[in-house]
Amino acid sequence: MATLKAVRGTRDLLPPETALWNYVEATARGVFARYGFGEIRTPIFEDTALFARGVGEETDIVSKEMYTWQDRTRADSDSAQSLTLRPENTAGVVRAYIEHKLADTGMLQKLFYIGPQFRRERPQRGRYRQFWQIGAEVLGPAWSGADSALRDAEVLEMLSTFLNELGVKGWKLEVNSVGSSTDRPKYIAALREALAPVKDKMSADNQRRAETNPLRVLDSKDAGDQEIIDGLPKIADFLDDASKEHFAQVLAALDACGVAYTVNPRLVRGLDYYTRTTFEFTVPDGSGLGTQNALLGGGRYDGLSELLGGPKAPGIGFAIGEDRLILTLQAQEAGAKEQKLDAFVAPMGVERNAAALALAQELRRAGLSVEVGDGSFRLKKSFEAADKLARRMVIVGEDEVSSGILTVKDFSAGDQTKVPRAELADFLRA
Ligand code: HAM
């Protein structure tokens, strides 16, 4: 019979690698807590209309990449509801903001999430069909200060702190402003006009984008098209005074906090909801990601809540590609090193198993991490297993049980010590 495998674009995460995932998530939780964020958990599937309206029908995500199915409400019913595995979490968070009337608190909401997202993309290193995001959204009524440039800078400063705390090397922050929801259509019209006479010289992909979503042309990495793209109108020339002022305030606050950035006038990002500030953090080539070097991205949005039937709630948010962050940490050999257990308890003979388990229980209660072998193992096998898993091995033989003096082998020092049972936990902790 053919063996079953994980579906293409999905993967299993196993120990010891999951220790690195936990370390990254614990660091995120720690950093976000210092900035006043609380956790939100929204469902993994939602009404398809949420993403169609929220993320935008014309985006790659909605038009090509969603996992959508017709879900019959009852087995005996013909009425079906279209459901979708979430391709991102901003739309879900804003839906929850509206559904739970968080606007009524009058307070700025600072919410973070950690969880899987689903997109039917062509799988490659750093790009999966089920991938993890660590993200956050800061939103609220305008009077809560949600549209202040200070929030944009605070989020960016928090992200730089997070990456530095993890020890990510060589990250770069690129920022841009895509203007207000009235600036954007003017810019898109100018782009269409500028693309019309030159688009025939561009790649097939860009010819299509020039028609359907001209902003996406700016994202193109197509080498042959770069000269044309560099000559296209810049969004900066289409910003109204309020958007220009907002962007200037964001940059001034980043300067005040000492966060390094470059302004990339081509950074528009692929989701429809962005207004004003957009940003991406990338890592240098050779950081384990191949061409997928965008570690995280995000931006400001105004109008998303109204699109979903809610009150005005400007916001800013980001999502970190956790898979990509982990690949980077592994390539850069940063982050938590693999931890060995404090002790491996090795019973000598099956009749010592119960005593060994009781000793492990005692040590675990004292806060130590402990694995227990099996009395059926030969001494050599116990040694090998213990050496792989733990810093020290505690031998439980007949003498040890009767005398209460245990033999402890230390693998790094290569020596053996006799330790009274009452002192064992302290000895192993040292
Ligand atoms: P996004 O740029 O679509 O933004 O995704 C954010 C990050 O998720 C990317 O920079 C990348 O690191 C990671 N990512 C995306 N697709 C994949 C994939 N197929 N495999 C692995 N990693 C991937 C958003 O999702 C927005 N919701 C971010 C946001 C929050 N904007 C405002 N608030």
Side-chain angles (χ1 to χ4, degrees), residues 88 90 119 121 126 128 133 137 269 273-274 294-295 317-318 321:
E88 61 98 59
T90 306
R119 296 183 193 175
E121 294 197 85
Y128 309 99
Q133 284 186 340
E137 309 297 337
R269 302 195 29 80
Y273 47 64
Y274 292 116
L295 216 48
F318 63 84

Side-chain angles (χ1 to χ4, degrees), residues 331-345:
Q332 297 186 346
E333 288 173 11
K337 292 276 167 287
E338 193 188 320
Q339 290 276 318
K340 284 203 160 180
L341 300 171
D342 294 315
F344 183 94
V345 175

Side-chain angles (χ1 to χ4, degrees), residues 109-430:
Q109 301 295 314
K110 292 177 123 178
L111 304 165
F112 80 89
Y113 51 83
I114 300 177
Q117 318 292 334
F118 306 84
R119 296 183 193 175
R120 194 186 284 105
E121 294 197 85
R122 195 168 50 79
Q124 63 186 83
R125 192 171 174 79
R127 192 202 272 163
Y128 309 99
R129 291 182 164 180
Q130 173 171 341
F131 60 98
W132 269 257
Q133 284 186 340
I134 302 177
E137 309 297 337
V138 180
L139 76 169
W143 63 85
S144 69
D147 55 11
S148 163
L150 176 142
R151 293 300 158 204
D152 308 35
E154 183 184 41
V155 159
L156 292 169
E157 190 276 315
M158 175 172 87
L159 286 166
S160 78
T161 296
F162 171 64
L163 294 178
N164 289 342
E165 215 156 285
L166 285 177
V168 176
K169 293 191 269 294
W171 58 260
K172 272 210 174 109
L173 164 60
E174 295 183 4
V175 289
N176 190 27
S177 175
V178 295
S180 66
S181 43
T182 46
D183 301 337
R184 261 160 76 119
K186 284 189 225 149
Y187 177 59
I188 292 170
L191 266 186
R192 273 191 207 282
E193 204 173 302
L195 281 166
V198 292
K199 67 169 191 276
D200 293 348
K201 300 193 202 101
M202 301 182 93
S203 67
D205 255 359
N206 279 332
Q207 290 189 24
R208 186 179 40 79
R209 288 178 180 144
E211 293 294 329
T212 56
N213 196 349
L215 282 177
R216 299 295 295 162
V217 173
L218 301 177
D219 275 349
S220 165
K221 303 233 160 57
D222 215 302
D225 291 351
Q226 296 306 312
E227 218 182 298
I228 297 179
I229 297 171
D230 285 337
L232 292 172
K234 305 271 180 291
I235 180 88
D237 299 325
F238 291 79
L239 300 187
D240 62 20
D241 288 345
S243 291
K244 274 191 201 146
E245 173 59 22
H246 184 97
F247 195 44
Q249 285 177 12
V250 174
L251 301 186
L254 289 176
D255 291 336
C257 296
V259 178
Y261 59 84
T262 40
V263 175
N264 174 1
R266 280 171 53 172
L267 187 73
V268 290
R269 302 195 29 80
L271 296 87
D272 274 359
Y273 47 64
Y274 292 116
T275 55
R276 296 192 168 169
T277 315
T278 54
F279 56 85
E280 249 167 44
F281 283 74
T282 56
V283 281
D285 291 348
S287 301
L289 293 181
T291 54
Q292 304 299 313
N293 68 346
L295 216 48
L296 70 96
R300 173 164 282 290
Y301 42 88
D302 192 1
L304 180 52
S305 172
E306 294 98 306
L307 265 181
L308 301 176
K312 187 171 168 59
I316 179 156
F318 63 84
I320 302 164
E322 192 177 0
D323 306 74
R324 294 186 189 179
L325 182 55
I326 299 279
L327 285 168
T328 303
L329 289 171
Q330 287 168 334
Q332 297 186 346
E333 288 173 11
K337 292 276 167 287
E338 193 188 320
Q339 290 276 318
K340 284 203 160 180
L341 300 171
D342 294 315
F344 183 94
V345 175
M348 299 293 115
V350 178
E351 58 283 18
R352 239 61 75 196
N353 271 355
L357 193 64
L359 179 65
Q361 176 193 40
E362 190 178 308
L363 296 173
R364 286 165 174 159
R365 280 185 178 160
L368 295 160
S369 55
V370 178
E371 179 57 293
V372 200
D374 190 88
S376 66
F377 293 1
R378 289 170 186 279
L379 189 59
K380 185 161 173 278
K381 183 169 172 184
S382 289
F383 269 120
E384 283 167 3
D387 192 17
K388 266 193 208 131
L389 292 173
R391 294 187 293 132
R392 296 190 178 96
M393 177 164 112
V394 181
I395 296 168
V396 181
E398 197 180 345
D399 286 355
E400 280 82 3
V401 173
S402 57
S403 68
I405 309 278
L406 293 135
T407 307
V408 179
K409 183 169 170 60
D410 187 315
F411 291 108
S412 53
D415 57 12
Q416 219 157 279
T417 320
K418 300 267 182 204
V419 184
R421 187 162 183 151
E423 293 164 24
L424 185 61
D426 284 341
F427 181 86
L428 293 172
R429 223 188 306 274

